[in-house]
Amino acid sequence: MRKVLLLGFVIVFVLACGSSDDTEVTLDPDYLLLRDTLPRVADCKALMVHPSWGRSTWSPEFFPATHWLLGDDSTRQASLDAPVPPGVSAAEINLTIDPKAGTINGSAVIHVLTQEPTGALHFSLSANHAELASSDPPAALWSFEDGVLEVVAEEEIPQGQTWTVEIQWSDEKVEQVQELFPEGGGTVLANLISRDSTFFTFGYNYWPMLQASGKIPQAVFHVTYPTDQTLVMSGELTDSVDNQDGTSTDTWRLDFPFIGNVGLALAKYDKVEGKCGDATLQIYGRPGESIDGYPIVPGTYTAGLEKACDYYVSLFGQPSVEAIKFAGVDERFTNGFATPGLVIVPNYIWDDDGTGSFAERDFYLAHELSHTWWGNDVFLADMKDVWLIEGMADWAGCNAVRKMEDEEHGTKIWIWEVTPYLNWLVMGGDDHAVVPEDTSHLAPVVYYVKGAWVLRMLQSIVGDDKMGQIVGQFRQDHNFSAMS
């Protein structure tokens, strides 16, 4: 308020003491206020351009939001920290991926701790075939239909008892194109098993996800795949065995709470390394050329990502994972997917035309990197609070560009980032609060862009140092827990 009063005093003083000549007063010279008179940036480089897949600079579409974690499960709890009947206490998953045949086979032992008397479990599982292999205690009946495995106990399980189930499944030809991408951005190839690139992102439950479950405290994945490829997953690689039959089996552990989003990418990769605070930064690129005809050189981006890491560590503290991995996948995937310790990106992100990176690409990478702290460490409690994840990621990403490049590009990227929102308003978009009363009113262009500018305006009032203290303390208070 003191700044506002002072500004008003200065304006009145200038107008009172001026001559009869016109006096121009610039109220927002640094573009800190969200307003419909902000300039548009017309000379931005195209981040993604491809004739058949609409490779274009990402911007939110104009439809209400859904969220891939919610799926079709309308019973997901309002808060991930609230007691939920039931919850997974631990899981061990075995997967065999055959990229040449395009198949995946799996089994899982899942320990479920009941929070109240329970008689049935429902698992979301993408598979051609699935079955309950065992249930102990007690025995159970099961059915599998439309991607949901229902397990019904022969007798009710008391509160506080662990119910262990073993599930087996198989699937093939999982290539899936998302016409309605959960958070905007248009059509993407979301899931694929092929000899060149295997990855899973949105809308594909490649292992049994307990519906209405909260945080999973730990999990172990044993994945068998062709030896001539490299497997990259969320969590930490703890073991790798050559099976002497053309396959290897890697063991990946997630020894921290997570909410089901486990990333997986498989291809023939070149790897470069850097540092991200106390963690290792790893970039995996598929060698060759991008669809634009430029060589894939992931090392081009190590220094910039390290600068973004330094900034995020100064804001949020050290990462909670030992390694932060970026993996390039089939270039028909034209978005980003951040999971604990692994970010999946289109492989063309790592191409090099000889001029180095540019602000729009740096923003994209910094946005996804920020989810290491916000989204995979600090959780989302309720979908209507999604601006705290995605708005924070845009805010952090724009600020990181200043560190990765300079002040001029940092200002430019803020104007570039706000343009889809301003255009949306011109088109008659229904603006609303960043936290609407009804989640059906959520629009990505609001919770990404307007959310980021709410934080930008707050930062302009309290200052960089105080803003850093606010978000740093908030992350510390919500480490691996939900926020609202």
Side-chain angles (χ1 to χ4, degrees):
M1 180 61 74
R2 183 180 304 169
K3 286 188 178 181
V4 174
L5 292 175
L6 178 60
L7 179 61
F9 174 78
V10 170
I11 293 172
V12 172
F13 178 81
V14 169
L15 294 178
C17 297
S19 66
S20 59
D21 296 335
D22 291 340
T23 301
E24 181 176 311
V25 179
T26 302
L27 296 179
D28 186 23
D30 298 320
Y31 307 123
L32 299 176
L33 302 177
L34 180 58
R35 48 189 171 85
D36 59 11
T37 54
L38 285 168
R40 269 71 159 175
V41 174
D43 61 344
C44 291
K45 291 187 179 182
L47 178 56
M48 312 168 187
V49 178
H50 190 264
S52 63
W53 278 82
R55 186 179 172 205
S56 59
T57 301
W58 180 91
S59 63
E61 298 286 356
F62 309 134
F63 48 76
T66 58
H67 197 270
W68 71 276
L69 281 174
L70 298 177
D72 295 325
D73 177 25
S74 61
T75 63
R76 183 171 174 83
Q77 76 281 11
S79 171
L80 292 168
D81 289 330
V84 179
V88 174
S89 59
E92 186 163 3
I93 297 96
N94 297 281
L95 299 173
T96 298
I97 300 175
D98 187 338
K100 186 176 181 179
T103 60
I104 182 171
N105 294 278
S107 65
V109 177
I110 300 177
H111 304 281
V112 179
L113 179 63
T114 60
Q115 301 289 345
E116 62 181 29
T118 302
L121 304 175
H122 296 86
F123 295 90
S124 296
L125 178 61
S126 301
N128 296 129
H129 173 78
E131 65 179 24
L132 178 69
S134 66
S135 170
D136 180 56
L141 303 174
W142 63 274
S143 63
F144 181 66
E145 186 176 2
D146 296 330
V148 177
L149 179 68
E150 181 182 47
V151 181
V152 180
E154 292 187 351
E155 59 185 68
E156 188 174 71
I157 300 172
Q159 179 180 352
Q161 181 172 320
T162 297
W163 185 7
T164 300
V165 297
E166 181 179 353
I167 300 169
Q168 295 180 347
W169 70 94
S170 61
D171 201 9
E172 62 181 356
K173 299 178 180 178
V174 305
E175 180 170 321
Q176 180 178 345
V177 175
Q178 290 279 27
E179 296 288 349
L180 189 62
F181 183 66
E183 293 173 340
T187 300
V188 297
L189 177 66
N191 303 290
L192 178 69
I193 296 180
S194 78
R195 66 189 69 193
D196 296 323
S197 178
T198 295
F199 67 99
F200 308 124
T201 58
F202 305 94
Y204 185 74
N205 297 298
Y206 69 92
W207 60 286
M209 289 291 299
L210 180 63
Q211 293 187 353
S213 178
K215 294 181 293 186
I216 301 173
Q218 60 179 346
V220 178
F221 286 79
H222 307 286
V223 185
T224 300
Y225 62 93
T227 300
D228 64 348
Q229 296 191 337
T230 299
L231 176 68
V232 192
M233 289 192 69
S234 296
E236 179 187 358
L237 177 64
T238 60
D239 191 29
S240 185
V241 177
D242 188 334
N243 299 319
Q244 303 299 316
D245 60 358
T247 68
S248 297
T249 300
D250 287 359
T251 299
W252 293 80
R253 300 188 65 90
L254 285 82
D255 286 327
F256 48 81
F258 64 101
I259 51 178
N261 49 333
V262 181
L264 183 153
L266 177 65
K268 294 182 179 180
Y269 282 121
D270 286 340
K271 182 178 83 167
V272 296
E273 289 194 352
K275 293 294 293 181
C276 190
D278 290 342
T280 301
L281 176 67
Q282 301 174 351
I283 302 176
Y284 294 82
R286 295 167 54 203
E289 290 186 346
S290 71
I291 57 177
D292 293 328
Y294 299 118
I296 299 297
V297 190
T300 303
Y301 301 92
T302 308
L305 279 170
E306 286 182 327
K307 291 180 181 178
C309 281
D310 290 343
Y311 173 61
Y312 291 158
V313 168
S314 71
L315 279 180
F316 307 130
Q318 294 292 340
S320 295
V321 294
E322 295 186 2
I324 300 172
K325 304 172 284 289
F326 281 79
V329 299
D330 187 295
E331 294 178 336
R332 292 174 293 170
F333 177 67
T334 57
N335 214 285
F337 183 66
T339 65
L342 172 62
V343 179
I344 294 176
V345 297
N347 199 56
Y348 57 71
I349 287 297
W350 311 126
D351 70 7
D352 185 359
D353 65 358
T355 64
S357 190
F358 50 89
E360 294 78 17
R361 188 183 310 219
D362 288 342
F363 165 79
Y364 166 82
L365 291 171
H367 173 108
E368 298 300 339
L369 175 65
S370 74
H371 286 312
T372 298
W373 292 266
W374 291 82
N376 295 317
D377 186 327
V378 176
F379 299 148
L380 179 66
D382 192 298
M383 184 56 187
K384 67 182 180 182
D385 293 317
V386 67
W387 82 282
L388 285 171
I389 297 294
E390 299 299 352
M392 177 67 75
D394 267 18
W395 172 82
C398 287
N399 284 341
V401 170
R402 293 190 304 170
K403 309 297 181 181
M404 300 167 79
E405 300 196 30
D406 52 37
E407 290 289 338
E408 179 182 354
H409 285 92
T411 299
K412 174 185 174 182
I413 208 66
W414 272 111
I415 301 302
W416 172 81
E417 190 262 358
V418 80
T419 298
Y421 176 75
L422 300 179
N423 291 342
W424 184 72
L425 294 179
V426 170
M427 292 170 60
D430 182 19
D431 196 18
H432 55 72
V434 292
V435 183
E437 294 184 4
D438 186 344
T439 56
S440 67
H441 294 159
L442 280 170
V445 73
V446 173
Y447 60 75
Y448 275 82
V449 181
K450 186 175 182 177
W453 278 76
V454 167
L455 295 170
R456 176 170 170 79
M457 291 190 291
L458 175 61
Q459 181 182 10
S460 73
I461 294 171
V462 302
D464 291 355
D465 292 343
K466 185 62 177 179
M467 190 67 175
Q469 294 173 15
I470 291 171
V471 295
Q473 188 63 50
F474 198 88
R475 184 254 177 164
Q476 181 178 327
D477 293 343
H478 296 81
N479 184 229
F480 291 124
S481 64
M483 63 175 173
S484 63

